Amino acid sequence: MSTDRTRPAGRRDQSGPRSAPGGPRPASNGPRPTPGGPRSVPPQRSRRLQPHRPLRPHQWFAERLLAVLSGQRPVHWMLGHTIGEAYDQLAELAPSTPLRATHGSRPVLRHCRGAQPATGVVEAFASIAAGDRVRAMAFRLEQGADQRWRCAAVELGGERLTAGAPGCR
């Protein structure tokens, strides 16, 4: 049995434990590369270590609408995020799941862009792909006095979900 308690049992190499970057370095048996010298390698930045940029309101909302209209989430998930009759009309359309998966492929949000025609208003459009099919979705967000964004209107590939639209109850 080995008397070295820092080395796991069965380990045959002579190197000791390594420390985290920025901490004290264990002694090594070779010359250390000098900073900026020919042997130094610049650190690689991983994509997952880069800070994640938060979603804008229209991007966040497009994801939520997609989840409801594809049947992944229930309609009441949108209850506090709609105003006017938009929730009722969304409740009428959601059971038919117009954005449901086709041929086993789950729908995904391809692109989402928004424009701000007035303060507190965002009009956005998104393209949604499911297999070889691509659908369009447009929606309007309005910011309330409480600074929360809520959906006021939704259009989905020609099927209008806004209050007062032809064909709505």
Side-chain angles (χ1 to χ4, degrees):
M1 183 166 136
S2 173
T3 58
D4 185 2
R5 295 182 184 193
T6 61
R7 188 176 312 133
R11 185 169 167 179
R12 305 262 188 258
D13 64 341
Q14 296 299 315
S15 63
R18 296 205 164 95
S19 63
R25 293 180 58 154
S28 65
N29 293 337
R32 286 189 184 168
T34 57
R39 297 177 80 187
S40 69
V41 177
Q44 298 290 327
R45 291 193 67 177
S46 172
R47 287 186 186 266
R48 63 188 159 162
L49 295 179
Q50 293 175 354
H52 181 64
R53 188 170 42 191
L55 293 176
R56 293 182 175 157
H58 61 277
Q59 294 168 323
W60 180 84
F61 213 94
E63 292 283 352
R64 291 183 80 89
L65 283 171
L66 173 61
V68 169
L69 294 174
S70 65
Q72 297 171 30
R73 292 285 186 170
V75 179
H76 69 265
W77 196 49
M78 297 295 292
L79 192 57
H81 302 289
T82 55
I83 56 175
E85 294 181 31
Y87 177 79
D88 296 332
Q89 293 160 357
L90 191 60
E92 288 177 22
L93 183 69
S96 67
T97 57
L99 298 177
R100 69 183 162 273
T102 57
H103 305 293
S105 59
R106 189 175 179 165
V108 293
L109 187 66
R110 288 179 53 189
H111 300 288
C112 184
R113 303 281 189 265
Q116 193 167 8
T119 303
V121 175
V122 172
E123 292 181 347
F125 65 92
S127 63
I128 298 159
D132 57 352
R133 249 184 113 183
V134 177
R135 300 281 307 262
M137 178 173 62
F139 54 96
R140 178 182 173 99
L141 302 178
E142 295 178 2
Q143 192 172 30
D146 60 357
Q147 300 301 308
R148 291 181 57 200
W149 291 97
R150 291 181 179 86
C151 182
V154 178
E155 288 186 24
L156 181 64
E159 300 174 55
R160 191 168 179 155
L161 304 176
T162 57
C168 291
R169 289 188 212 175

